[in-house]
Amino acid sequence: MSAGVGVNLENLWIRFGDFVAVRDANVNINGGDFFSFLGPSGCGKTTILRSVSGFLDPSEGRVLIGGNDMAGIGPNKRPTALIFQNLALFPLMKVWENITFSMEIKGASAKERRKRADELLDMIALPGQGDKLPSELSGGQKQRVAIARALCAEPDVLLLDEPLSALDLKLRQHMRTELREIQKRVGITFIYITHDQGEALTMSDNIAVMKAGIIDQIGDGKTVYNDPSTAFVASFVGENNVFRGKVKEIRGDEALIATNRSGDLVSRISTANQGKMNVGDEAMMFIRPEALSIAETGTSGDHFVTAKVNHEEFEGNSFNIFTEGDGGKEIKVSIPNLGQTFEDHTGQQITLEYETQNAVAVPAGELATE
Amino acid sequence: MKNGFLKNFYQHNGKVMGTALLVIISFWIGVLIILPQLSMLDYSLREYLPSGEVGDYTLKNYRHLIYGAEGASDPYNYVDLKVFMRTIIAAICVTIFNLILCYPIAFFLGQVAKGMKLRVFALLLIIPYWINEILRAFALKIIFGATGMINAVLIGMGILDEPFDFIRADIALYAGLGYAYILLMVFPMYNVIESLDGNQIEAARDLGAPWWRIHARIVIPYAKPGISSGATMVFMLSAGALAAPQILGGPSSLWFTQIIYQWFNDGGNWSQGAAYAIVLLTSCIIIVLAFMKLFKVNMGDIGK
């Protein structure tokens, strides 16, 4: 198996009338990568997928697959296969006919198709189920049949449009692992669309985080999670506490932020913004709930936050404290449950502590809405 | 089982409403459908007596369709049999023609047109049917006539030197029959095609299918119940049409219903007319069932 076929989006714009669905997207997807577009619904990620599959022509810019410009090439002629959100299995065809539909079109004999269907059914762990109708399968089984049907077309690029969203939580988590394994086995490029950051983080080699038609950041899961380049990425990927304020001082790759309600706090500047943030700029600082811990009361300094506890909850693996925060939003503190005893802080002022490297500062921007 | 159904039916509709519904449905089926057909069957099996008395049971009326009047020179009733065959074949042709014409319309309405476009298009289809069937037939007669619009256009364009007799060639009749039942073909098909998940069409395309293959493998199999109920209605109504053949038929072309009409009205021989009508009805049902069997359509699917 070769390294796989890459996909490039060059200055891609997609407009519907006056509405700009995708704004100047530039993405290089390496061959054989598991690449995710992550963003809230309506951010344009499905639109990008449809332009790669050929159902939609870009208003401007190019889509290249394996270096070839796809302009004017219809979806039935592209080396892509799309897995729809609702799977779109053909209800009147048996499972084996569904899987080998692409071979039927090329004129393969029923015997060849049967053989290939059996191989693929073995691969997706559904041996001997070829003669069933899709309606006789469970949600997870249908999911796998849809994958097999797409793989049977031997695409260079497999496109997946939130295919797990209809499944229940347990199955969804199981299918994540399975999808990743299938991708590694077949070695082709997967482009995956999701609004679920858990899915994107667990499966992807690289992630593009999108907001309202704009790609905010492209990077691997760790980068996107630990080193967000915008306030949107910081607040959309994983849980995060936000502290608003102004840059008071720049110390190399760290900044001292004069926050609106928690005094001066020190933070690392995210890689993409180093050298770009100046004293006096509006800034936002993010600290993950698990990066905060309770310090001795009364301690103060540029990495201590004092706040009044609103309420607390026990979540099993962690103990969560919610305190008054900035702009009506609470600060969440997660303390891992290692069997220690927790005292009730409700109503008390507590001091929270963090390490500078666990706080990240970005220019002020739009936050993701829950 | 039956009690269970009745109990459920009453629970769902209430005592008063349930009873009212049962009475109405029984009246409809019994008095308006079954009884007239039974009396027709009874008539067809009785000897015709000009005095108006009730004759004895006989198969004479059916014999007449096949062998003609007793003592006739031909061994078979060629005239009536020919009209009968012609009617059936023409009705099948009209049905096929309508199917070919209406499938693209139904597909356009069901999958392509959206919102305002859909409503305008549907309205354009429906409005002509506000006009009475006989008026529409006469309008077609005028359009297809020797001095009608079509001849005028064809002569004006230099395609024809002299008017073509569309009516004698039965083209006007087939057009009229086809036009009369377009809606009955379009709407059942539209109903089914509209419920087809558009992603399936895209999935097929994505997997490499050209457009005709998408129709052959995805849309038509899915639309089969709608196609069969539309085709059944058009076939039954075409074979049983009277106004269109009367108005648009050429001087020499009789439709089987016209013969039935003549037996009842002009001849006053109800028994003979009833026998012809029963033969037409039974033949049509057999043909429909045969086609359903051929295309593997279940009776239950038709209602979908």
Side-chain angles (χ1 to χ4, degrees):
Chain A
M1 187 63 65
S2 66
V5 170
V7 176
N8 303 77
L9 309 180
E10 291 181 352
N11 305 101
L12 191 75
W13 288 75
I14 297 169
R15 297 189 190 87
F16 299 107
D18 291 337
F19 176 71
V20 181
V22 177
R23 192 181 292 269
D24 198 20
N26 284 285
V27 184
N28 296 317
I29 299 168
N30 298 326
D33 251 16
F34 196 119
F35 191 96
S36 293
F37 284 92
L38 171 66
S41 56
C43 72
K45 53 194 195 297
T46 297
T47 309
I48 287 192
L49 196 75
R50 290 178 68 79
S51 73
V52 176
S53 62
F55 286 111
L56 202 70
D57 290 326
S59 314
E60 267 175 58
R62 300 201 299 169
V63 174
L64 298 127
I65 299 177
N68 301 315
D69 191 349
M70 287 290 125
I73 298 177
N76 49 349
K77 306 276 186 216
R78 294 195 183 190
T80 58
L82 176 58
I83 295 181
F84 289 80
Q85 192 162 10
N86 67 354
L87 307 181
L89 295 177
F90 307 128
L92 302 176
M93 291 184 206
K94 288 178 176 163
V95 164
W96 75 271
E97 291 176 292
N98 257 289
I99 291 177
T100 57
F101 185 73
S102 55
M103 295 173 73
E104 180 191 326
I105 286 157
K106 287 181 194 134
S109 72
K111 208 175 149 198
E112 275 176 83
R113 293 171 56 203
R114 238 6 248 248
K115 192 167 159 269
R116 182 78 181 118
D118 286 342
E119 285 168 19
L120 282 161
L121 282 166
D122 282 343
M123 191 197 87
I124 57 169
L126 285 177
Q129 311 266 27
D131 281 315
K132 285 189 174 170
L133 284 171
S135 56
E136 294 169 302
L137 301 178
S138 71
Q141 290 173 330
K142 280 184 201 160
Q143 184 72 59
R144 288 185 219 149
V145 171
I147 295 167
R149 183 178 71 176
L151 290 176
C152 184
E154 297 184 335
D156 293 328
V157 181
L158 190 69
L159 309 169
L160 304 100
D161 185 5
E162 306 213 24
L164 304 186
S165 56
L167 304 180
D168 59 52
L169 183 68
K170 271 269 180 323
L171 194 54
R172 206 154 64 216
Q173 286 170 341
H174 172 73
M175 286 305 294
R176 282 180 192 172
T177 326
E178 204 158 305
L179 265 178
R180 185 66 172 141
E181 272 169 16
I182 289 173
Q183 194 261 342
K184 281 190 176 139
R185 214 174 315 152
V186 295
I188 61 172
T189 312
F190 273 40
I191 300 181
Y192 192 89
I193 296 294
T194 183
H195 63 268
D196 183 329
Q197 36 109 6
E199 280 176 18
L201 291 172
T202 47
M203 292 190 284
S204 320
D205 294 310
N206 280 299
I207 301 170
V209 185
M210 282 190 81
K211 165 197 78 183
I214 298 168
I215 295 174
D216 263 19
Q217 187 172 9
I218 300 175
D220 62 24
K222 281 186 195 121
T223 309
V224 167
Y225 190 85
N226 294 330
D227 195 16
S229 56
T230 68
F232 176 80
V233 175
S235 56
F236 187 74
V237 183
E239 279 186 292
N240 234 332
N241 296 306
V242 61
F243 298 84
R244 291 160 223 254
K246 280 196 169 76
V247 178
K248 192 174 181 186
E249 200 184 321
I250 303 278
R251 305 170 179 163
D253 58 2
E254 288 179 5
L256 189 67
I257 314 261
T259 64
N260 294 346
R261 75 170 301 285
S262 306
D264 295 352
L265 295 174
V266 69
S267 161
R268 162 174 72 86
I269 300 172
S270 80
T271 310
N273 296 300
Q274 279 172 20
K276 291 182 191 160
M277 291 176 77
N278 299 309
V279 173
D281 285 357
E282 296 278 345
M284 283 180 175
M285 198 187 104
F286 292 89
I287 307 173
R288 302 265 176 208
E290 63 271 20
L292 286 163
S293 55
I294 299 174
E296 236 173 90
T297 318
T299 340
S300 63
D302 59 10
H303 56 283
F304 292 96
V305 177
T306 305
K308 190 175 154 221
V309 176
N310 283 343
H311 60 103
E312 297 178 324
E313 68 181 19
F314 176 66
E315 208 191 334
N317 60 352
S318 68
F319 188 73
N320 302 326
I321 304 169
F322 296 87
T323 76
E324 287 175 339
D326 185 8
K329 277 186 108 181
E330 291 182 319
I331 298 171
K332 180 179 177 183
V333 183
S334 261
I335 298 165
N337 177 13
L338 306 168
Q340 73 272 45
T341 48
F342 296 105
E343 49 178 307
D344 186 3
H345 299 96
T346 311
Q348 296 171 18
Q349 290 279 342
I350 58 167
T351 302
L352 299 168
E353 183 183 7
Y354 66 90
E355 289 180 39
T356 313
Q357 69 195 42
N358 291 331
V360 63
V362 296
E366 202 184 315
L367 297 178
T369 48
E370 244 93 350
Chain B
M1 179 74 191
K2 190 152 188 275
N3 277 334
F5 169 75
L6 262 187
K7 204 174 154 195
N8 251 332
F9 183 78
Y10 270 109
Q11 259 174 7
H12 195 262
N13 296 294
K15 272 211 173 87
V16 179
M17 198 58 185
T19 311
L21 278 173
L22 279 184
V23 169
I24 291 167
I25 292 170
S26 331
F27 177 81
W28 182 30
I29 294 177
V31 179
L32 298 180
I33 298 177
I34 296 180
L35 270 182
Q37 294 299 335
L38 281 179
S39 77
M40 200 64 121
L41 186 67
D42 184 59
Y43 263 116
S44 75
L45 289 168
R46 285 178 190 275
E47 174 105 47
Y48 166 64
L49 296 171
S51 55
E53 292 163 48
V54 178
D56 292 331
Y57 282 109
T58 174
L59 283 173
K60 229 171 106 182
N61 301 314
Y62 290 94
R63 227 189 96 85
H64 184 274
L65 172 61
I66 299 168
Y67 299 107
E70 272 169 65
S73 55
D74 284 334
Y76 294 102
N77 186 353
Y78 287 123
V79 177
D80 288 358
L81 283 176
K82 219 179 111 189
V83 173
F84 175 73
M85 288 313 291
R86 213 177 67 104
T87 303
I88 296 288
I89 291 168
I92 291 175
C93 291
V94 166
T95 309
I96 293 170
F97 171 74
N98 254 5
L99 195 59
I100 294 168
L101 182 74
C102 295
Y103 175 77
I105 299 175
F107 181 76
F108 175 80
L109 287 177
Q111 287 289 331
V112 184
K114 295 262 142 48
M116 200 58 199
K117 215 163 148 194
L118 173 66
R119 265 167 292 175
V120 169
F121 205 88
L123 218 63
L124 287 178
L125 274 176
I126 293 168
I127 286 175
Y129 290 85
W130 292 355
I131 299 163
N132 170 310
E133 187 190 349
I134 293 175
L135 276 181
R136 265 185 286 133
F138 273 113
L140 277 176
K141 189 171 186 166
I142 295 167
I143 292 173
F144 280 109
T147 55
M149 199 181 78
I150 295 181
N151 269 316
V153 168
L154 288 176
I155 291 169
M157 286 167 66
I159 296 170
L160 289 181
D161 295 332
E162 52 188 61
F164 180 76
D165 194 344
F166 287 107
I167 291 179
R168 187 175 289 275
D170 282 336
I171 290 174
L173 171 59
Y174 296 142
L177 282 173
Y179 183 51
Y181 307 117
I182 277 185
L183 286 191
L184 294 172
M185 189 63 109
V186 168
F187 281 111
M189 277 202 270
Y190 160 72
N191 250 338
V192 183
I193 292 176
E194 197 256 330
S195 71
L196 172 66
D197 171 19
N199 281 353
Q200 285 188 23
I201 295 173
E202 292 199 337
R205 216 166 126 218
D206 189 58
L207 291 166
W211 67 269
W212 59 269
R213 197 110 193 193
I214 294 173
H215 285 281
R217 280 299 266 147
I218 311 294
V219 188
I220 292 175
Y222 185 82
K224 213 158 76 174
I227 293 174
S228 46
S229 57
T232 305
M233 281 196 273
V234 170
F235 172 72
M236 287 288 200
L237 289 172
S238 299
L242 183 63
Q246 199 86 296
I247 296 163
L248 293 165
S252 62
S253 66
L254 269 179
W255 208 247
F256 197 66
T257 47
Q258 287 173 291
I259 297 180
I260 297 173
Y261 180 81
Q262 282 169 7
W263 280 120
F264 272 101
N265 245 38
D266 307 342
N269 187 343
W270 283 41
S271 296
Q272 192 60 65
Y276 275 36
I278 293 282
V279 168
L280 181 64
L281 176 69
T282 323
S283 314
C284 285
I285 292 174
I286 290 170
I287 289 166
V288 167
L289 291 177
F291 271 102
M292 280 170 61
K293 182 104 188 157
L294 184 66
F295 291 106
K296 299 196 179 92
V297 182
N298 294 321
M299 195 56 108
D301 292 339
I302 296 262
K304 276 181 189 167

